[in-house]
Amino acid sequence: MKYSHACSLLALACSTSVCAESYVIGVERLDFAPHYSIDKQGQYQGFAREVFDLFAATTGVELSYKIMPVDQLLPALLDGAVDFKYPDSDTWSKEQKVGATLSYSRGIVDYVDGVLVAPQRQGQPIDQLKRLALVNGWTPWGYQERIDAKQIQLSYSDDLRQMIRLALKKDTDGAYFNVVVATHYLDNIRARPGALVFDANLPHSRGSFHLSTLKHAQFLQRFDRFLIEQQSQIAALKDKYQVEANLDSQYMGMEQWKVDSLKRRQQKDASGG
């Protein structure tokens, strides 16, 4: 009787909107600024957090974030320990996803992964790339044939800091990573702007970060509508965090002050000044 009475009270409370929908997003314990990172208090922060918080604020859904090691995140999604995984893509970890029917949101933010090199190496042919630095778990798309042929030797690091250090010390010829994240690290954390630059002449890949789920496909339909309806606010967040900075221009991977300087010079030349 007591159990039945408790259930009735809970149902009544939820029917009067006291109980909100509540979901858990599994996120990476990774310093991947400006996209996302974990602050000193252990809180998830960055562009992704603001997008999800905006969705929660506009829909009344309650979202919480479960911060996990990268290699534990997909198993947690498949086991039901979390409701969603971010970031994700239908092209990632295909072997681990065999037999699982996952649903994916629209692309939330675009990215480019590629090789950053010392400025004096920029524009050199791929034959000159003999040693490539990587973070553990990353796949250097476009380079596998040369790796298999022993034409490129890989040097793995535990994190971005170690990988960048290898490239700066010239222990490798370049570093393969997310271009925006690596540039942000060099500009704002390592304080070595321009020490490594993206080489668009070398193979690189483009994609988008998505939110994925095993059980909540209808939720993703609502989230997709939110992405469309709140385009202007999300664009403002992208501009605030510079997560898509110059992805479709010749300035990709260049520190922002230099981009601004070059644009001012071009405007001056165009006006005949």
Side-chain angles (χ1 to χ4, degrees):
M1 183 65 68
K2 289 182 179 179
Y3 176 76
S4 176
H5 182 62
C7 288
S8 297
L9 289 176
L10 179 62
L12 177 62
C14 290
S15 68
T16 56
S17 300
V18 173
C19 294
E21 290 181 70
S22 180
Y23 300 96
V24 178
I25 301 178
V27 297
E28 298 178 336
R29 182 178 291 132
L30 188 66
D31 187 0
F32 206 70
H35 286 276
Y36 49 87
S37 60
I38 313 302
D39 66 17
K40 293 180 180 179
Q41 289 71 46
Q43 298 298 309
Y44 187 59
Q45 63 178 2
F47 166 77
R49 173 65 187 263
E50 289 215 37
V51 170
F52 295 137
D53 283 358
L54 178 62
F55 174 74
T58 56
T59 61
V61 170
E62 290 183 357
L63 297 177
S64 59
Y65 308 94
K66 188 168 185 178
I67 302 166
M68 307 181 67
V70 175
D71 61 351
Q72 295 179 20
L73 193 49
L74 179 57
L77 177 68
L78 299 178
D79 292 343
V82 297
D83 298 304
F84 302 93
K85 175 183 182 295
Y86 184 82
D88 204 352
S89 169
D90 60 359
T91 64
W92 298 356
S93 306
K94 286 187 174 182
E95 292 183 1
Q96 292 177 263
K97 295 175 179 177
V98 171
T101 304
L102 294 178
S103 299
Y104 299 87
S105 71
R106 296 169 61 95
I108 298 172
V109 60
D110 295 335
Y111 70 86
V112 172
D113 293 342
V115 175
L116 292 96
V117 299
Q120 61 269 25
R121 293 188 61 91
Q122 191 175 29
Q124 290 186 2
I126 193 171
D127 292 345
Q128 299 299 312
L129 187 70
K130 305 294 185 182
R131 302 164 300 166
L132 186 60
L134 283 175
V135 172
N136 286 323
W138 278 69
T139 300
W141 300 109
Y143 295 87
Q144 197 58 52
E145 185 175 333
R146 288 182 167 274
I147 293 168
D148 293 342
K150 311 297 183 184
Q151 295 171 338
I152 294 179
Q153 177 184 345
L154 300 180
S155 295
Y156 285 98
S157 300
D158 291 333
D159 54 32
L160 173 61
R161 178 187 62 82
Q162 292 181 7
M163 183 193 68
I164 292 295
R165 185 168 179 267
L166 283 176
L168 290 177
K169 289 174 61 183
K170 300 183 180 179
D171 290 340
T172 65
D173 301 320
Y176 183 94
F177 206 69
N178 180 285
V179 175
V180 166
V181 174
T183 302
H184 179 272
Y185 174 81
L186 285 163
D187 288 357
N188 300 284
I189 301 172
R190 190 61 190 263
R192 293 286 303 276
L196 297 175
V197 295
F198 171 63
D199 195 335
N201 297 305
L202 295 173
H204 54 279
S205 62
R206 292 177 176 269
S208 300
F209 292 155
H210 305 257
L211 187 65
S212 66
T213 187
L214 187 62
K215 301 178 180 179
H216 304 288
Q218 288 188 337
F219 175 99
L220 290 188
Q221 293 177 8
R222 293 162 61 191
F223 185 71
D224 284 348
R225 288 197 298 272
F226 156 79
L227 293 177
I228 295 171
E229 293 169 356
Q230 303 295 329
Q231 278 184 350
S232 60
Q233 282 143 297
I234 294 172
L237 289 175
K238 288 180 178 180
D239 186 59
K240 173 184 175 180
Y241 285 97
Q242 293 289 289
V243 287
E244 289 182 348
N246 306 306
L247 286 191
D248 295 313
S249 78
Q250 75 251 42
Y251 306 120
M252 184 168 59
M254 188 180 295
E255 55 268 40
Q256 191 59 43
W257 70 267
K258 191 177 292 185
V259 173
D260 294 340
S261 177
L262 289 172
K263 287 182 177 179
R264 285 195 297 270
R265 186 184 305 170
Q266 289 177 349
Q267 291 173 352
K268 183 177 180 180
D269 292 344
S271 63

